[in-house]
């Protein structure tokens, strides 16, 4: 026994040192005002679209475009499964649509089509069927440049803006991100402007068949009978659209403007996401607004704020982020700091003080369309996005404010609690930005070939809300908690895991739910928990870590990858500890792996992507994840090892 205690003491001493280094590294990255923000990286699509936006407007910045060109060339594929295209995530297979946009952008920047990297890209694109086989958003982009006819795009009349709420297809039946992207896009698809394109850049060489001769742009495979029905509707509307009354068309365009104007969100942009901002800029340009018009100038400034230096990775490079993530980054960093140094850490307090004034208390956003009686009280993901807070951010912020224990934050936590309660869907689960957004037939319209038009309840978001409410432990919330737990039980996969809608993937979802079930007070020997914990243990890699391929959103095995990753390892460990397995050998091995790959500065990095915007369509790499989560996991392991109960005391 003495030898075991001595060994444990030695291990904990080494662990303490590793935690101290990681804590110091994370603490040093806090901004002077208390907040954190890290890069949020996507694929080639957004920087390529930005290049094309400058050519659409004829507002070309040659120096910036050259820097974006460096980035695009650096992330081009060069492997057997991606011989020359661009992937959606690190080391992924070629994606046709991203590759067409990246090629188009590089050609616009000035790359010689006969250069080796352009030739490889062109051959890869043609081998996949060419630009005619790209997704809807890419075909719209190409139509704006006259690269293919508008009949290549689904019929989306701007009169959609005028449809009443009872109609099957309205703006209010789709997700926030779809709503903000589509409102200005409807104007573009109706007005059909032609890009200024001052250098007359064309990509005819990317088509197997000349674009005018292609007859099947809108085609299957369809995911259900709905797809065939909507294809028939698209075909019927196509000849009729040109005869729509001009008066209603003008009214509909004005309705789109009236929707966008109060949501412009200053220099943080419409919806605070790049596609909505860029579409808004093109809409103003198309409608004849002068560049110095306040709304046009604000929208353009919002787009430009997303330009990001990437010279730390590729000398001289720049790219464009899809959005910024300061609320999420700050709250996650604060949780890690609190676990490592205690909730009384001055840096935790500083982060909380920064978060407090960003609570949205005076705007009833789009969420109120379905939940008009819920009192505002949420946080957004970005610096400002008052119309679009989300319950995921709100729950994570609420948990750190509660854990920090400052009485001055009590009212903020209470307002967050009431809003989260008010956003619960009828199923017992929670979506991220809206409630009961489950009009699944809409994912089968021709426009929605990405299959991500909606924001239905998901396991990871539901888990975060249950965790928050469980941590607060108000007796009157028990019904809502139990409904959430019942939803999570129903949503568990046959193998014991949960799907991770917003993080990669089943490891993320399973960690999230295990935290929630623990916070809700379930016994650790509950079959739902034991099945999930056993699944996590079964996925541990030989080196002691965990990893998951982004292809698990397609047909790759759940919870597996060819290497261990710091973020996924931390999630698995946090999940097992929430399940009462902190003393399991798998946890000790995972902690040892994290220590073994800790870098000299005390932190961790990872190249593979660790999150998702839209499964199988748009993936994300949070640069902050390997900064937060490994520290949180190691500190929690130490704290549980030194404690008495073995039960995690917090929801996150």
């Amino acid at each position: 026994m003495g030898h075991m205690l001595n060994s444990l003491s030695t291990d904990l001493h080494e662990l303490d040192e590793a935690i101290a280094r990681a804590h110091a590294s994370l603490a040093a990255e806090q901004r002077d005002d208390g907040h954190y923000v890290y890069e949020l990286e996507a694929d080639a699509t957004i920087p390529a679209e930005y290049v094309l936006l400058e050519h659409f407007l004829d507002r070309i910045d040659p120096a910036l475009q050259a820097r974006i060109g460096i980035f695009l060339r650096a992330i081009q594929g060069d492997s057997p499964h991606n011989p020359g295209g661009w992937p959606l995530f690190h080391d992924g297979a070629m994606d046709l649509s991203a590759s067409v946009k990246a090629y188009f952008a590089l050609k616009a920047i000035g790359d010689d089509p006969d250069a080796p990297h352009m030739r490889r890209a062109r051959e890869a694109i043609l081998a996949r069927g060419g630009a005619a086989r790209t997704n809807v958003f890419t075909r719209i982009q190409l139509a704006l440049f006259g690269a293919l006819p508008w009949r290549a795009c689904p019929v989306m009349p701007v009169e959609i803006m005028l449809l009443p709420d009872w109609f099957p297809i309205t703006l209010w039946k789709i997700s926030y991100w779809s709503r903000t992207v589509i409102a200005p896009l409807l104007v573009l698809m109706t007005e059909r402007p032609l890009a200024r394109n001052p250098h007359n850049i064309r990509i005819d060489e990317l088509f197997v068949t000349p674009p005018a001769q292609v007859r099947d742009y809108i085609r299957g495979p369809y995911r259900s009978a709905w797809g065939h029905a909507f294809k028939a509707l698209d075909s019927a509307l196509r000849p009729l659209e040109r005869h729509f009354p001009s008066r209603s068309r003008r009214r509909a365009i004005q309705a789109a403007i009236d929707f966008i104007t109060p949501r412009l969100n200053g220099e943080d942009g419409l919806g605070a996401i790049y596609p909505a901002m860029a579409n808004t800029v093109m809409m103003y340009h198309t409608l004849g607004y002068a560049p110095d018009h306040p709304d046009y100038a604000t929208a353009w400034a919002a787009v430009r704020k997303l330009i990001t230096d990437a010279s730390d990775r590729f000398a001289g490079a720049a790219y464009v982020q899809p959005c910024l993530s300061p609320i999420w980054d700050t709250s996650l960093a604060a949780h890690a700091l609190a676990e490592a140094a205690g909730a009384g850490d001055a840096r935790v307090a500083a982060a909380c003080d920064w978060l407090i004034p960003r609570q949205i208390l005076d705007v009833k956003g789009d969420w109120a369309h379905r939940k008009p009686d819920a009192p505002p009280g949420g946080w957004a993901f970005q610096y400002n996005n008052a119309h679009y807070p989300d319950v995921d951010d709100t729950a994570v912020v609420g948990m750190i404010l509660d854990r920090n224990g400052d009485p001055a934050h009590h009212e903020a936590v209470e307002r967050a609690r009431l809003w989260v309660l008010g956003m619960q869907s009828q199923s017992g689960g929670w979506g991220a930005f809206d409630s009961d957004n489950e009009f699944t037939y809409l994912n089968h319209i021709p426009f929605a070939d990405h299959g991500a038009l909606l924001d239905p309840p998901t396991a990871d978001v539901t888990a975060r809300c249950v965790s928050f409410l469980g941590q607060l432990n108000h007796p009157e919330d028990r019904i809502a908690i139990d409904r959430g737990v019942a939803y999570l039980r129903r949503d568990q996969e046959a193998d014991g895991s949960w799907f991770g809608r917003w993080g990669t993937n089943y490891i993320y979802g399973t960690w999230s739910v295990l935290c929630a079930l623990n916070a809700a007070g379930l016994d650790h020997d509950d079959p739902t928990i034991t099945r999930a914990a056993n699944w996590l243990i079964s996925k541990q890699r030989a080196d002691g870590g965990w990893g998951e391929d982004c292809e698990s959103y397609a047909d790759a095995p759940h919870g597996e990858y060819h290497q261990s990753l710091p973020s996924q390892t931390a999630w698995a460990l946090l999940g097992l500890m929430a399940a009462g397995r902190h003393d399991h050998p798998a946890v000790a091995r995972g902690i040892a792996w994290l220590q073994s790959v800790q870098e000299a500065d005390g932190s961790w990095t990872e190249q593979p992507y660790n999150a998702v915007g839209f499964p199988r369509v748009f993936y994300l790499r949070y640069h902050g994840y390997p900064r937060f989560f490994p520290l949180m996991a190691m500190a929690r392991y130490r704290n549980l090892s030194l404690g008495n109960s073995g039960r995690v005391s917090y929801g996150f």
Side-chain angles (χ1 to χ4, degrees):
M1 175 67 73
H3 173 75
M4 290 177 60
L5 287 173
N6 185 59
S7 175
L8 179 61
S9 175
T10 301
D11 291 345
L12 288 179
H13 175 72
E14 293 174 356
L15 182 59
D16 268 334
E17 290 183 342
I19 292 168
R21 291 195 304 274
H23 178 270
S25 177
L26 183 59
E29 293 171 339
Q30 189 171 30
R31 305 294 177 98
D32 290 342
D33 61 2
H35 90 284
Y36 286 83
V37 64
Y38 293 88
E39 290 180 48
L40 179 59
E41 184 179 349
D43 57 80
T45 301
I46 301 296
E49 287 181 359
Y50 176 79
V51 168
L52 296 175
L53 175 62
E54 288 197 347
H55 285 259
F56 179 90
L57 303 171
D58 191 10
R59 298 180 72 165
I60 300 170
D61 181 341
L64 174 60
Q65 296 221 346
R67 297 183 66 204
I68 293 174
I70 294 170
F71 182 84
L72 291 174
R73 289 180 216 106
I75 63 172
Q76 184 178 9
D78 185 15
S79 66
H81 64 282
N82 185 1
W86 280 262
L88 294 179
F89 48 83
H90 176 76
D91 197 31
M94 170 191 168
D95 180 77
L96 178 62
S97 296
S99 299
V100 168
K101 288 181 180 178
Y103 179 97
F104 198 171
L106 286 173
K107 190 172 181 182
I109 289 168
D111 286 21
D112 184 345
D114 290 325
H117 70 287
M118 295 290 277
R119 190 166 55 250
R120 288 194 300 113
R122 184 168 59 252
E123 291 170 355
I125 289 167
L126 292 173
R128 292 281 300 274
R133 301 279 75 99
T134 53
N135 62 25
V136 164
F137 284 116
T138 304
R139 297 202 304 276
I140 293 170
Q141 182 92 68
L142 298 182
L144 290 170
F145 278 80
L148 47 69
W150 277 100
R151 63 179 174 79
C153 307
V155 175
M156 289 286 284
V158 71
E159 284 80 4
I160 289 173
M161 297 297 307
L162 303 176
L163 295 174
D165 200 41
W166 55 262
F167 201 79
I169 304 174
T170 75
L171 214 60
W172 298 105
K173 287 184 167 66
I174 57 179
S175 64
Y176 122 72
W177 56 84
S178 302
R179 204 175 303 137
T180 55
V181 168
I182 286 174
L185 188 60
L186 291 175
V187 177
L188 295 173
M189 295 181 73
T190 297
E191 294 293 299
R192 299 184 176 183
L194 185 64
R196 288 189 174 177
N197 193 12
H199 303 316
N200 193 30
I201 305 301
R202 300 185 60 81
I203 53 167
D204 298 340
E205 67 271 22
L206 295 187
F207 289 87
V208 174
T209 302
Q213 297 178 23
V214 177
R215 293 287 177 262
D216 62 344
Y217 284 109
I218 313 296
R219 66 177 192 174
Y222 302 112
R223 294 188 294 272
S224 74
W226 280 111
H228 294 279
F230 282 123
K231 173 63 169 67
L233 179 61
D234 181 90
S235 299
L237 280 174
R238 200 166 287 274
L240 297 176
E241 187 186 12
R242 67 176 70 98
H243 302 297
F244 285 4
S246 59
R247 178 177 297 180
S248 65
R249 180 133 289 183
R250 289 194 299 271
R251 283 179 53 227
I253 290 174
Q254 188 59 51
I257 296 169
D258 292 344
F259 173 84
I260 291 164
T261 301
R263 295 169 175 80
L264 267 179
N265 195 33
E267 291 191 1
D268 292 286
L270 177 64
I273 52 176
Y274 175 86
M277 299 180 204
N279 287 346
T280 301
V281 168
M282 288 190 285
M283 181 194 77
Y284 287 140
H285 173 85
T286 299
L287 294 176
Y289 284 55
D292 60 355
H293 184 284
D295 291 346
Y296 188 164
T298 297
W300 177 244
V303 169
R304 298 276 296 183
K305 277 182 68 173
L306 296 175
I307 298 167
T308 304
D309 178 64
S311 55
D312 60 329
R313 280 168 283 159
F314 314 116
Y319 75 108
V320 181
Q321 295 188 62
C323 63
L324 303 177
S325 55
I327 302 292
W328 190 239
D329 289 342
T330 300
S331 56
L332 293 177
H335 278 282
L337 293 170
E339 195 70 40
D345 186 342
R347 294 191 176 275
V348 177
C352 291
D353 289 343
W354 184 84
L355 290 164
I356 284 288
R358 285 158 181 81
Q359 189 174 26
I360 301 162
L361 301 172
D362 56 354
V363 176
K364 279 207 164 190
D366 287 10
W367 53 266
H369 186 78
R370 301 216 170 271
K371 294 291 186 176
D373 297 328
W379 277 267
F381 180 78
Q382 304 91 347
Y383 284 104
N384 296 290
N385 199 10
H387 281 83
Y388 303 108
D390 68 277
V391 296
D392 205 0
D393 278 270
T394 300
V396 173
V397 173
M399 282 188 278
I400 192 58
L401 294 177
D402 174 69
R403 182 172 183 176
N404 183 238
D406 187 339
H409 298 160
H410 174 77
E411 182 179 353
V413 175
E414 181 63 12
R415 289 290 297 268
R417 167 182 163 263
L418 293 175
W419 185 65
V420 167
L421 285 168
M423 290 293 287
Q424 191 170 24
S425 292
Q426 294 179 16
S427 64
W430 278 266
F433 299 89
D434 283 296
S435 300
D436 298 305
N437 190 239
E438 300 185 68
F439 305 96
T440 54
Y441 59 87
L442 290 175
N443 273 334
H444 301 271
I445 65 175
F447 178 83
D449 62 353
H450 57 300
L453 210 59
L454 306 175
D455 180 18
T458 61
D460 47 352
V461 175
T462 299
R464 213 81 70 219
C465 295
V466 170
S467 287
F468 175 43
L469 298 174
Q471 179 175 313
L472 298 182
N473 197 28
H474 289 252
E476 62 269 34
D477 297 346
R478 196 67 235 179
I479 292 175
I481 292 171
D482 289 345
R483 291 179 61 221
V485 169
Y487 172 90
L488 294 171
R489 288 189 190 275
R490 294 194 304 271
D491 203 50
Q492 189 174 25
E493 302 283 334
D495 62 12
S497 65
W498 281 271
F499 178 80
R501 166 61 181 84
W502 296 99
T504 309
N505 175 352
Y506 292 92
I507 293 175
Y508 181 92
T510 304
W511 153 64
S512 300
V513 175
L514 284 174
C515 287
L517 299 182
N518 174 73
L522 272 66
D523 290 336
H524 289 156
D525 59 0
D526 184 291
T528 301
I529 292 176
T530 57
R531 288 174 57 223
N534 289 341
W535 178 82
L536 282 174
I537 292 168
S538 75
K539 296 300 179 179
Q540 188 171 31
R541 290 172 44 79
D543 61 8
W546 280 261
E548 184 157 8
D549 196 331
C550 288
E551 287 293 348
S552 64
Y553 286 102
D555 55 5
H558 299 181
E560 297 179 16
Y561 194 45
H562 62 76
Q563 66 182 96
S564 295
L565 302 171
S567 295
Q568 280 86 342
T569 297
W571 296 335
L573 293 170
L574 290 165
L576 288 172
M577 287 185 276
R581 306 286 186 94
H582 79 279
D583 56 354
H584 194 283
V587 175
R589 292 179 60 229
I591 294 294
W593 183 82
L594 285 177
Q595 289 178 256
S596 73
V597 297
Q598 188 177 24
E599 296 177 355
D601 69 351
S603 192
W604 296 260
T605 57
E606 58 194 16
Q607 294 301 313
Y609 283 29
N610 46 33
V612 63
F614 313 120
R616 306 183 73 168
V617 176
F618 190 68
Y619 295 82
L620 298 166
R621 176 189 169 202
Y622 286 86
H623 287 218
Y625 276 12
R627 320 291 289 176
F628 319 134
F629 289 113
L631 171 58
M632 191 184 306
M634 293 199 314
R636 179 155 294 170
Y637 176 70
R638 177 198 62 190
N639 297 341
L640 289 173
S641 298
L642 296 174
N644 295 319
S645 73
R647 190 175 191 103
V648 175
S649 302
Y650 303 99
F652 194 73

